[in-house]
Amino acid sequence: MSDSTKYIFVTGGVTSSLGKGIISASLAKLLQARGHSVTIQKLDPYINIDPGTLNPYEHGECYVTNDGAETDLDLGHYERFLNVPTSQANNVTTGRIYQSVIEKERKGEFLGKTVQIIPHITDEIKRRIKMLGQSGEYDIVITEIGGTVGDIESLPYVEAVRQMLWENREDCLVIHLTLVPFLSAAGELKTKPTQHSVKQMLELGVQPDILVCRTEHHLDDSIRRKIALFCNVVPTSVIESMDVSTIYEVPLLMQQEKLDTEVLRKLHLPDNGEPELNEWKDFLSRLKKPKNKVKIALVGKYVELKDSYKSISEAFEHAGAANECKVELKWIHSAKISDDSIEEKLGDVDGILVAPGFGSRGIDGKIEAVKFARENGIPFFGICLGMQVAVIEFARNVIGWHDAHTAEIERDSTHPVIDLMEEQKSIKNLGGTMRLGAYECELKEGSRVFDAYKQKDIEERHRHRFEFNSAYLQDFEYNGMLATGKNPKTGLVEVVEIPNHPWFVGAQFHPEYKSTVEKPHPLFIAFVNAAIKQKEKFAQKSDSKVNS
Ligand code: GLN
């Protein structure tokens, strides 16, 4: 390695779901708050080229970057913590690695050699890791290896890490995240799973430098010494990671445990004072001491797995804190909404968000939810498919086109108010072919969205094939649903609203991807604010009923 970038690898042992993404993001935050430029990369050991074609039940939400990459949801955490955009280079899968190697082989670039996992696949993995370092933009690259050490799929990644350590031990560091379970029958914390998982790393030729131990009980000195002794690290490199009530507390917890100073010491970087985390701490105190509370319905078809809507639920955390208000999400399965159940499901909420999605399952329930919000003056926010169903509902119940639909579900509707985008018509492949990534949008002055953003020109990220059918725009505007955001180049309708309603906004783009701790998203802030007002209005009405 010729550049002076430092490389930190984060691996996981014992079990999945220990929170490698949050630990990586928290460490990155601490290093960034000390003035370093840091980026985080996720290597995913599955064979899909990207998660774009995956059902959300598999790995949760598909996160979209500015450059239109469909990526793992951990990239959302990286952006939310660091407030710096990521790109395609920040997420690499086994599928992508093999695809590049096979393409090179077909071009004859291996000059007749046998193409093998070592060195060709591992070289490609190392190339993808170093690419971020060699961009010259970052002092530190943190690479999170997905999966659990010992899985067949992650072997080439651990081998690539071993090679990078062998090439340049000085500039590389390995953090291994493990579990120290508490056995209630024995009344004891157990270190054996950690010992075994480090042993597994050693068998693969990698000695972890730092162990982050996920635990439900404090690790006392004797446990720390025991882990250090058996895992061959110094006791200060045994870091405790206790369960906390919010992920946004983890950076402070890691600071208390001195993870950042341990990393600096091991990477021979100067430790010049405390990280500057004032804004972060302000956010946390607002998050933890709300003055108000609202209940918002999140209507979607994947609500059993909350990770499917990760960016949306996090955007509510940010916007709630900005409003000094706790946002309680009421998760509602769209397929379970019917005429009979709607009052029970939505009667007690201060705002309704209809989520993005694909396909026909649960669409009728989403349309019912929009109708309920529109007719009862409940603040409404529709995102992507949520915006599209708001258009369908308006066409059917206000304009009177009872068969209005989206061409995604009903190809032969006489009123295809949502239609396939022109450029999508010739596309056959499913992977990576939607309208993806950041596009400009021009907002109409005086609209709700303009009020929220306080500017005319914005840029937001997209992930869809269908769009508002502009052939019907006049009819919508005449009847009271306005297009208040349009793509300045193509004229595509990106935002619709009903001015004659307390707050009714549908966005074709996904604002949730851009909400961060330090920059909560203006549309989520405005929506939560509208929900607060709705709650106050409702309370006043009930008061006057009691007093009359
Ligand atoms: N299925 C819709 C489309 O492709 C909406 C997509 C979404 O909600 N992300 O246009």
Side-chain angles (χ1 to χ4, degrees):
M1 278 173 254
S2 55
D3 56 294
S4 59
T5 308
K6 304 286 186 184
Y7 294 90
I8 300 174
F9 300 99
V10 179
T11 57
V14 185
T15 172
S16 57
S17 303
L18 288 182
K20 285 195 299 280
I22 301 297
I23 291 294
S24 304
S26 300
L27 172 62
K29 184 77 223 168
L30 292 174
L31 296 170
Q32 183 196 52
R34 288 169 169 276
H36 294 289
S37 58
V38 191
T39 192
I40 321 174
Q41 175 185 47
K42 172 98 189 260
L43 303 181
D44 273 313
Y46 51 71
I47 297 176
N48 305 63
I49 299 291
D50 60 43
T53 51
L54 288 174
N55 185 317
Y57 289 129
E58 295 284 312
H59 293 279
E61 162 190 287
C62 171
Y63 184 78
V64 179
T65 56
N66 277 336
D67 65 346
E70 295 178 283
T71 72
D72 184 78
L73 61 72
D74 272 334
L75 271 79
H77 290 309
Y78 307 162
E79 289 203 14
R80 289 188 280 274
F81 275 57
L82 295 184
N83 199 28
V84 174
T86 53
S87 70
Q88 179 65 73
N90 294 79
N91 192 197
V92 181
T93 66
T94 294
R96 205 170 275 276
I97 300 277
Y98 272 77
Q99 190 184 43
S100 324
V101 171
I102 291 169
E103 273 168 13
K104 277 189 200 157
E105 187 273 338
R106 290 290 80 184
K107 286 189 198 143
E109 287 181 22
F110 294 112
L111 308 173
K113 290 268 185 231
T114 308
V115 179
Q116 294 178 296
I117 293 182
I118 303 171
H120 302 101
I121 294 297
T122 47
D123 278 353
E124 182 60 22
I125 295 173
K126 288 193 291 178
R127 189 180 74 78
R128 301 278 183 155
I129 297 170
K130 292 179 197 171
M131 209 158 80
L132 280 169
Q134 286 158 353
S135 71
E137 282 179 61
Y138 308 107
D139 308 330
I140 301 168
V141 175
I142 300 180
T143 299
E144 177 193 342
I145 317 264
T148 307
V149 169
D151 296 347
I152 290 177
E153 290 97 336
S154 40
L155 287 176
Y157 294 98
V158 181
E159 169 59 14
V161 171
R162 187 196 66 75
Q163 292 179 16
M164 284 194 57
L165 293 168
W166 180 80
E167 287 166 20
N168 185 356
R169 194 65 184 90
E170 287 286 286
D171 289 333
C172 295
L173 183 83
V174 179
I175 299 178
H176 188 58
L177 184 57
T178 81
L179 177 71
V180 180
F182 180 78
L183 287 196
S184 38
E188 263 181 349
L189 284 165
K190 291 292 181 190
T191 65
K192 199 70 87 187
T194 297
Q195 295 180 38
H196 279 300
S197 107
V198 171
K199 195 170 153 222
Q200 196 135 33
M201 294 277 283
L202 288 170
E203 278 169 15
L204 301 172
V206 177
Q207 164 69 58
D209 299 291
I210 295 176
L211 299 173
V212 175
C213 306
R214 188 74 192 267
T215 174
E216 288 172 11
H217 296 268
H218 283 296
L219 305 180
D220 63 23
D221 274 351
S222 75
I223 292 257
R224 285 178 197 249
R225 273 201 307 277
K226 186 171 174 188
I227 294 174
L229 176 67
F230 286 109
C231 300
N232 208 20
V233 297
V234 287
T236 51
S237 289
V238 178
I239 306 286
E240 167 191 291
S241 172
M242 286 275 285
D243 294 353
V244 274
S245 59
T246 156
I247 53 170
Y248 298 111
E249 227 173 310
V250 181
L252 301 183
L253 200 72
M254 289 300 108
Q255 188 193 3
Q256 264 169 34
E257 278 287 301
K258 301 194 169 56
L259 174 63
D260 52 340
T261 49
E262 195 65 7
V263 165
L264 293 175
R265 190 172 69 76
K266 298 221 166 224
L267 284 173
H268 322 287
L269 289 170
D271 174 358
N272 37 15
E274 292 285 290
E276 204 280 284
L277 287 164
N278 293 340
E279 229 178 302
W280 192 272
K281 288 179 184 162
D282 276 358
F283 160 78
L284 256 185
S285 64
R286 269 180 279 120
L287 184 73
K288 290 168 88 177
K289 288 198 199 87
K291 297 190 178 137
N292 219 328
K293 186 176 162 185
V294 290
K295 194 189 272 188
I296 290 182
L298 194 158
V299 180
K301 68 168 170 175
Y302 304 110
V303 290
E304 306 93 323
L305 182 71
K306 300 197 168 48
D307 273 0
S308 310
Y309 303 106
K310 196 74 198 161
S311 294
I312 293 178
S313 57
E314 294 306 319
F316 276 122
E317 293 284 284
H318 311 152
N323 279 292
E324 299 190 83
C325 174
K326 162 97 192 119
V327 178
E328 183 197 328
L329 289 180
K330 183 170 182 188
W331 301 79
I332 296 174
H333 200 304
S334 48
K336 296 196 178 136
I337 298 180
S338 63
D339 242 6
D340 299 338
S341 67
I342 195 134
E343 187 60 48
E344 170 230 327
K345 302 251 181 236
L346 298 173
D348 63 341
V349 300
D350 310 306
I352 297 174
L353 181 140
V354 176
F358 294 83
S360 59
R361 188 169 66 101
I363 195 121
D364 293 335
K366 286 187 172 177
I367 296 174
E368 283 302 314
V370 177
K371 182 166 182 258
F372 191 82
R374 185 179 55 74
E375 291 184 342
N376 294 293
I378 301 169
F380 168 82
F381 194 9
I383 299 182
C384 207
L385 183 66
M387 171 263 198
Q388 298 177 351
V389 292
V391 168
I392 297 167
E393 193 279 327
F394 195 87
R396 289 185 185 177
N397 300 325
V398 178
I399 307 181
W401 299 331
H402 298 297
D403 64 341
H405 221 319
T406 163
E408 180 176 2
I409 293 164
E410 182 61 66
R411 285 193 180 197
D412 302 320
S413 152
T414 43
H415 291 99
V417 288
I418 302 293
D419 205 359
L420 193 60
M421 270 181 277
E422 205 44 50
E423 74 250 28
Q424 288 285 331
K425 291 189 174 153
S426 56
I427 292 174
K428 297 271 176 303
N429 273 356
L430 281 188
T433 55
M434 282 187 253
R435 182 181 184 221
L436 289 165
Y439 285 88
E440 289 167 23
C441 176
E442 199 178 292
L443 304 179
K444 207 180 242 170
E445 283 184 45
S447 62
R448 296 252 189 281
V449 273
F450 183 87
D451 280 357
Y453 284 92
K454 300 191 174 43
Q455 69 191 69
K456 205 164 135 208
D457 299 309
I458 59 157
E459 223 181 67
E460 291 286 359
R461 300 180 196 172
H462 292 249
R463 182 173 187 246
H464 60 115
R465 292 182 204 286
F466 296 84
E467 57 153 331
F468 183 95
N469 186 343
S470 293
Y472 298 112
L473 183 56
Q474 267 195 343
D475 297 281
F476 277 87
E477 302 221 302
Y478 178 77
N479 284 283
M481 177 178 265
L482 307 186
T484 54
K486 282 188 185 166
N487 181 296
K489 295 205 176 90
T490 57
L492 286 182
V493 172
E494 314 284 32
V495 186
V496 294
E497 25 183 295
I498 303 178
N500 185 17
H501 180 284
W503 205 91
F504 190 106
V505 172
Q508 184 57 77
F509 47 74
H510 290 260
E512 70 275 20
Y513 293 143
K514 277 180 75 170
S515 185
T516 71
V517 164
E518 277 148 40
K519 256 183 142 207
H521 196 284
L523 281 183
F524 278 87
I525 298 179
F527 178 48
V528 171
N529 190 262
I532 295 172
K533 290 195 179 127
Q534 166 74 10
K535 190 178 167 185
E536 284 164 2
K537 218 175 12 182
F538 190 76
Q540 272 166 12
K541 264 195 211 153
S542 328
D543 270 1
S544 55
K545 260 192 210 156
V546 173
N547 295 334
S548 62

